[in-house]
């Protein structure tokens, strides 16, 4: 008897729970359910991971990430001053290191050489900016894999623009060469010397500037955070070189300076940002910042500018009339490792036209790809 | 009257000969040996637009991506200086930005999708304009040239205006863009350690660890 009663009550309870669930699913708003699924702000409400604080400077609205360690909560003026002070410190440091290098050059080559004068002039030109992110902007990049020829010009430009150490083999952009019929990483090659070929795809891989960056979540000292415009940056003054973030990144976008970073006054880029291409300290992590020193002031990145075939596109993700939305709507796009759940903002797509490869029979003809296929089709039609 | 006419004719013939000679020697200006076109084509009404090969202008429409076209698809038959969209042909070296931009709508007739991309800055997105700033050429990483910007503020990125015209990157008579040379692989990458060395060192390390643990076990 008791057993039957228990089973009955249990069944009734289960029924009640099921009914309650059904009622809640029917009555709940779709938006609320979507919020549970996607806790990150939706379109229009831009923001960094951890939240954003807005402030106004000269009538224009800017944003500071709440995870920014230089932010003073509730006191935007003070946080701006902190950032200014940091930029000043970093400028002094960069100038000091540049002057050391310039004096070495002058000693080696002699005082009268033009190189010596040029190096000294470069050191004086160094400006470290502290530009904040504008409100309503979320940067994104798209890359046409049909146009990309894997010429590595972006990798070279990146090294020069961002003052990356030349002696340690660090490159923020790596071009991976895959087979075209299946994008299998096992058959990849990054040491190729000739190309492009008909049956290969060239995928330049850099930081994907994810919406949920796993690298910033593991940082024990909060040396890396996401800016309100989506750029994940590293502050080399705070970084302790524990390399947790290198392990956490699924794309291999972060690199450690194992040696003191060599600063060459002749090839140093004087246009700097305090969280971007300012010369890094030893044993700190560095990564792609989408040329924060250019894009914050309204320019495009160095890789976009140098691309000889125009494969790269850079713009505001929320902009309905902008290039990124146009590409996603017109051609569709995919991201690397979607299963990692990081929501990258670096989109890859196969565009409408392809740059003719080296092994094309007649590269000046538009139908170099379908030359063989056309004949086959004709034969099939006759039969 | 006759006396005046003869030198004019002579001059015209001379000019034509000079231009012919120039066109054979000066290969740089292949398509436009002389400008304006009225220098040679004084009376353009007799010209035929349904032509595929024009040797003197180095135009061969039998091959290339535009092989299905005739001259008259883009040029006006009576006046080749005039294009079908109303723009006037100016050689690339003499043309201003406005002239070059005026040819875009002609390309858009057959390439509407690409033109839409271009308007949305999704095709050839080189919108860098820096009015007050300057650029410095640097021979940097492995001898590759690079231009540094020194700009207080960049313009153009938010203006949504394409910075370059179609004909600046694509030759209008042979529009396929050939791939550039491949840069050498960045060779400073550290090489992985040889496999036997890794095996040896792991064996040595494991033996050491075993020795240390045995020592620690028996010591107290």
């Amino acid at each position: 008897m008791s057993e039957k009663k228990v089973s009955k009550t249990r069944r009734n309870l289960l029924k009640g729970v099921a009914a309650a669930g059904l009622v809640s699913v029917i009555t709940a708003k779709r938006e609320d359910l979507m919020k549970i699924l996607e806790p990150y702000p939706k379109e229009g409400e831009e923001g960094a991971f951890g939240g954003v604080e807005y402030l106004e400077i000269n009538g224009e609205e800017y944003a500071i990430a709440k995870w920014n360690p230089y932010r003073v909560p509730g006191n935007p003026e003070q946080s701006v001053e902190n950032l200014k002070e940091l930029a000043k410190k970093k400028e002094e440091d960069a100038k000091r290191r540049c002057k050391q290098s310039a004096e070495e050059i002058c000693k080696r080559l002699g005082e009268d050489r033009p190189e010596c004068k040029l190096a000294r002039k470069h050191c004086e030109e160094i400006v470290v900016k502290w530009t904040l992110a504008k409100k309503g902007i979320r940067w994104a990049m798209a890359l046409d894999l049909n146009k990309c020829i894997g010429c590595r010009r972006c990798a070279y430009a990146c090294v020069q623009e961002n003052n990356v150490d030349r002696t340690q083999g660090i490159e923020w952009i790596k071009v991976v060469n895959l087979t075209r019929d299946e994008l299998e990483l096992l058959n990849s090659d990054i040491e190729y010397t000739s190309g492009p070929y008909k049956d290969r795809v060239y995928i330049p891989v850099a930081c994907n500037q994810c919406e949920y960056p796993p690298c910033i979540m593991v940082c024990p000292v909060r040396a890396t955070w996401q800016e309100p415009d989506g750029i994940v940056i590293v502050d080399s003054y705070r970084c302790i070189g524990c390399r947790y973030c290198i392990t956490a990144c699924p794309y291999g976008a972060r690199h450690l300076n194992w040696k003191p970073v060599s600063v060459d006054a002749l090839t140093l880029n004087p246009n700097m940002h305090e969280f971007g291409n300012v010369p890094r300290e030893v044993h700190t992590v560095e990564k792609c910042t989408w040329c924060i020193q250019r894009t914050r002031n309204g320019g495009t990145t160095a890789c976009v500018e140098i691309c000889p075939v125009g494969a790269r596109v850079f713009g505001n993700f929320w902009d309905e009339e902008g290039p990124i939305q146009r590409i996603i709507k017109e051609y569709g796009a995919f991201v690397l490792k979607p299963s990692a759940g990081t929501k990258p903002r670096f989109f890859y797509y196969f565009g409408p036209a392809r740059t003719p490869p080296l092994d094309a029979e007649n590269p000046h003809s538009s139908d170099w790809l379908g030359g063989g296929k056309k004949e086959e089709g004709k034969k099939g039609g006759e039969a | 009257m006759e006396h005046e006419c003869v030198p004019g004719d002579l001059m015209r013939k001379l000019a034509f000969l000079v231009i012919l000679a120039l066109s054979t020697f000066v290969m740089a200006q292949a398509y436009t040996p002389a400008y304006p076109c009225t220098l040679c084509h004084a009376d353009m009404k007799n010209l035929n637009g349904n032509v595929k090969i024009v040797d003197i202008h180095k135009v061969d429409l039998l091959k290339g991506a535009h092989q299905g076209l005739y001259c008259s698809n883009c040029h006006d038959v009576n006046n080749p200086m005039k294009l079908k969209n109303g723009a006037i042909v100016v050689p690339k070296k003499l043309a201003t930005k406005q002239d070059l931009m005026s040819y875009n709508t002609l390309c858009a007739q057959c390439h509407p999708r690409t033109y839409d991309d271009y308007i949305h800055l999704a095709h050839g997105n080189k919108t860098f304009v820096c009015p007050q700033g300057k650029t410095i050429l640097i021979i940097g990483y492995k001898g590759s040239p690079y231009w540094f910007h020194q700009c207080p503020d960049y313009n153009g990125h938010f203006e949504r205006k394409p910075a370059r015209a179609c004909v600046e990157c694509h030759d209008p008579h042979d529009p396929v863009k050939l791939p550039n040379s491949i840069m050498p692989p960045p060779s400073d990458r550290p090489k992985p350690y040889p496999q036997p060395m890794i095996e040896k060192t792991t064996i040595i390390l494991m033996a050491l660890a075993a020795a240390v643990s045995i020592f620690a076990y028996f010591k107290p």
Side-chain angles (χ1 to χ4, degrees), chain A residues 185-205:
Chain A
L185 206 64
L186 281 173
N187 307 328
S188 70
D189 179 17
I190 57 170
E191 306 279 343
Y192 60 91
T193 48
S194 66
Y197 291 114
K198 208 187 258 184
D199 56 340
R200 306 297 284 188
V201 181
Y202 300 88
I203 308 187
V205 180

Side-chain angles (χ1 to χ4, degrees), chain A residues 149-153 156 175-177 189-197 200 202 358, chain B residues 180-187 189:
Chain A
I149 53 169
C151 68
R152 295 204 187 93
R153 273 174 180 74
Y156 278 71
V175 188
V176 185
N177 176 352
D189 179 17
I190 57 170
E191 306 279 343
Y192 60 91
T193 48
S194 66
Y197 291 114
R200 306 297 284 188
Y202 300 88
L358 267 189
Chain B
N180 298 50
S181 60
I182 301 285
M183 304 278 272
S187 54
R189 280 179 194 144

Side-chain angles (χ1 to χ4, degrees), chain A residues 122 125 139 147 149-153 156-157 159-161 166 169 171 190-191 193 195 266-271 294 297-300 302 304-305 307-308 313-314 319 321 323 326 330-331 355-356 363-366, chain B residues 64-65 67 113 116-117 120-128 134 136 138-142 144-154 157-158 160 174 176-186 188-190:
Chain A
H122 264 208
E125 279 171 345
W139 297 122
K147 273 185 198 157
I149 53 169
C151 68
R152 295 204 187 93
R153 273 174 180 74
Y156 278 71
V159 166
Q160 279 157 143
E161 173 72 28
R166 267 74 151 169
E171 304 132 37
I190 57 170
E191 306 279 343
T193 48
L266 277 173
T267 54
L268 192 74
N269 184 4
N271 177 20
R294 285 164 166 236
N297 291 49
T300 55
V304 167
E305 201 181 302
C307 185
V313 166
F314 182 76
D319 191 356
E321 293 288 301
R326 161 81 189 171
E330 185 78 15
Y331 305 114
T355 314
H364 279 279
S365 170
S366 58
Chain B
Q67 58 183 330
R113 197 186 192 191
D116 228 2
D117 280 356
H120 285 89
L121 306 184
H123 182 101
N125 181 24
K126 317 260 184 200
T127 47
F128 164 68
K134 53 176 180 174
I136 316 163
I138 287 212
I139 305 299
Y141 191 43
K142 289 179 189 160
S144 64
Y146 186 70
W147 284 266
F148 282 146
H149 296 174
Q150 283 180 328
C151 290
D153 253 314
Y154 297 84
H157 195 75
F158 296 111
R160 214 185 305 296
D174 191 2
V176 172
K177 206 167 182 310
L178 289 181
N180 298 50
S181 60
I182 301 285
M183 304 278 272
D188 293 344
R189 280 179 194 144

Side-chain angles (χ1 to χ4, degrees), chain B residues 67-88:
Chain B
Q67 58 183 330
L69 301 182
Y70 292 102
C71 296
S72 56
N73 285 64
C74 297
H75 293 271
D76 197 351
V77 176
N78 294 330
N79 184 359
M81 239 172 109
K82 227 176 156 187
L83 292 172
K84 284 282 178 188
N85 68 339
I88 288 164

Side-chain angles (χ1 to χ4, degrees), chain A residues 142-148 178-183 198-203 311 327-328 330-336 347-355 369, chain B residues 113 117:
Chain A
L143 201 148
D144 189 345
L145 295 177
N146 264 346
K147 273 185 198 157
C148 181
L178 301 173
T179 49
R180 207 170 178 88
D181 32 328
E182 51 167 349
L183 301 176
K198 208 187 258 184
D199 56 340
R200 306 297 284 188
V201 181
Y202 300 88
I203 308 187
I327 280 160
I328 290 170
E330 185 78 15
Y331 305 114
F334 67 93
V335 295
L336 297 181
F347 302 102
Y348 294 91
Y349 71 106
F350 284 95
R354 197 177 157 194
T355 314
L369 252 189
Chain B
R113 197 186 192 191
D117 280 356

